[in-house]
């Protein structure tokens, strides 16, 4: 059995994959955000909130935010891949680093009173090659790009949630977070 087939066989038996199907969530990632939010309350229920979900497809995080945020919260989801629509979510297909995509994000933010996001989150991961060192370098580079985005678009006292793999570059990245945020928490949700 190939590694890909082994991964698929393990994935379909995963309790969170089964639970997501039962609960009508788009992915098992929904349970990561639900667990994080139950501990740290990062989804605020204020009418003026803006939430940005980078690497949103298939929509697990966006779906949770849409269900747990204030009715008037503006949710902006961005991904290279297509994503089926979700009520309350404005989807932009493209690379969050692209100038045209940034203009679209800016345009949506200009319609909001705060002009910045209260929460920026990303469950993004680069395509994995199987070379652990190379994959770790790629995730660190991606996380640095996401942090740069957050520093530009996140309001004061906002929340920043990013997935990262612990390994080479992690300590340095965490130090960047400590330099830019009041509080930094590392956690590994059960999901």
């Amino acid at each position: 059995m190939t590694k890909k087939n082994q991964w698929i066989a393990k994935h379909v038996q995963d309790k969170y994959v089964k639970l997501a199907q039962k609960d009508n969530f788009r992915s098992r990632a929904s349970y990561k955000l639900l667990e994080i939010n139950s501990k740290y309350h990062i989804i605020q229920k204020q009418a003026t909130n803006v939430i940005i979900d980078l690497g949103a497809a298939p929509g697990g995080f966006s779906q949770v935010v849409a269900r747990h945020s204030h009715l008037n919260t503006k949710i902006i989801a961005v991904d290279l891949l297509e994503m089926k629509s979700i009520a309350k979510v404005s989807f932009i297909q493209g690379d969050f680093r692209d100038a045209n995509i940034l203009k679209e994000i800016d345009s949506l933010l200009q319609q909001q009173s705060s002009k910045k996001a209260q929460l920026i989150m990303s469950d993004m991961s680069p395509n994995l090659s199987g070379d652990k060192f190379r994959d770790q370098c790629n995730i660190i580079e991606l996380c640095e790009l996401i942090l740069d985005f957050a520093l530009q678009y996140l309001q004061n006292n906002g929340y920043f949630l990013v997935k990262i793999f612990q390994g080479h570059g992690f300590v340095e990245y965490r130090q960047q977070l400590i330099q830019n945020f009041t509080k930094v928490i590392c956690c590994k949700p059960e999901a």
Side-chain angles (χ1 to χ4, degrees):
M1 185 180 278
T2 67
K3 283 189 176 189
K4 182 178 179 180
N5 288 342
Q6 288 172 341
W7 181 88
I8 291 170
K10 184 179 174 185
H11 181 75
V12 296
Q13 294 304 314
D14 180 271
K15 89 175 194 182
Y16 290 102
V17 170
K18 291 179 178 183
L19 199 54
Q21 292 168 346
K22 177 182 164 270
D23 293 341
N24 201 27
F25 280 120
R26 294 179 178 205
S27 73
R28 69 187 308 284
S30 298
Y31 297 99
K32 294 181 203 176
L33 184 55
L34 287 167
E35 183 179 335
I36 290 167
N37 191 55
S38 74
K39 287 181 182 176
Y40 305 110
H41 313 287
I42 62 173
I43 302 171
Q44 304 292 307
K45 293 196 175 191
Q46 300 165 355
T48 59
N49 281 353
V50 176
I51 297 173
I52 300 175
D53 183 4
L54 298 176
F61 273 21
S62 291
Q63 196 175 24
V64 168
V65 170
R67 289 184 186 184
H68 290 86
S69 61
H70 189 280
L71 181 64
N72 294 326
T73 295
K74 178 70 176 173
I75 304 164
I76 303 168
V78 182
D79 201 293
L80 292 169
L81 304 173
E82 283 186 52
M83 186 175 92
K84 291 181 184 176
S85 65
I86 300 173
K88 292 176 42 175
V89 177
S90 298
F91 176 67
I92 302 170
Q93 186 172 358
D95 188 326
F96 74 95
R97 302 167 298 171
D98 181 273
N100 291 325
I101 300 303
L102 292 172
K103 284 180 187 175
E104 286 188 59
I105 293 169
D106 286 333
S107 175
L108 290 169
L109 288 172
Q110 292 309 310
Q111 300 167 21
Q112 305 303 308
S113 61
S114 69
K115 310 284 190 258
K116 295 221 176 196
Q118 184 271 332
L119 167 62
I120 294 177
M121 56 188 183
S122 175
D123 190 38
M124 221 183 316
S125 174
N127 292 329
L128 301 178
S129 67
D131 177 332
K132 288 184 180 187
F133 182 77
R134 182 174 158 202
D135 291 340
Q136 182 64 24
C137 290
N138 288 340
I139 191 70
I140 292 294
E141 179 182 13
L142 181 60
C143 288
E144 288 173 347
L145 293 167
I146 296 165
L147 175 58
D148 289 344
F149 178 93
L151 293 175
Q152 182 177 350
Y153 288 97
L154 190 64
Q155 69 186 30
N156 288 339
N157 299 314
Y159 293 94
F160 175 56
L161 173 65
V162 64
K163 174 171 69 178
I164 188 167
F165 304 148
Q166 289 191 5
H168 177 77
F170 172 79
V171 172
E172 294 82 359
Y173 183 77
R174 187 174 188 275
Q175 193 58 42
Q176 289 180 59
L177 295 175
I178 290 168
Q179 291 170 1
N180 287 287
F181 294 93
T182 306
K183 189 174 188 178
V184 175
I185 299 170
C186 296
C187 67
K188 183 177 181 180
E190 186 181 325

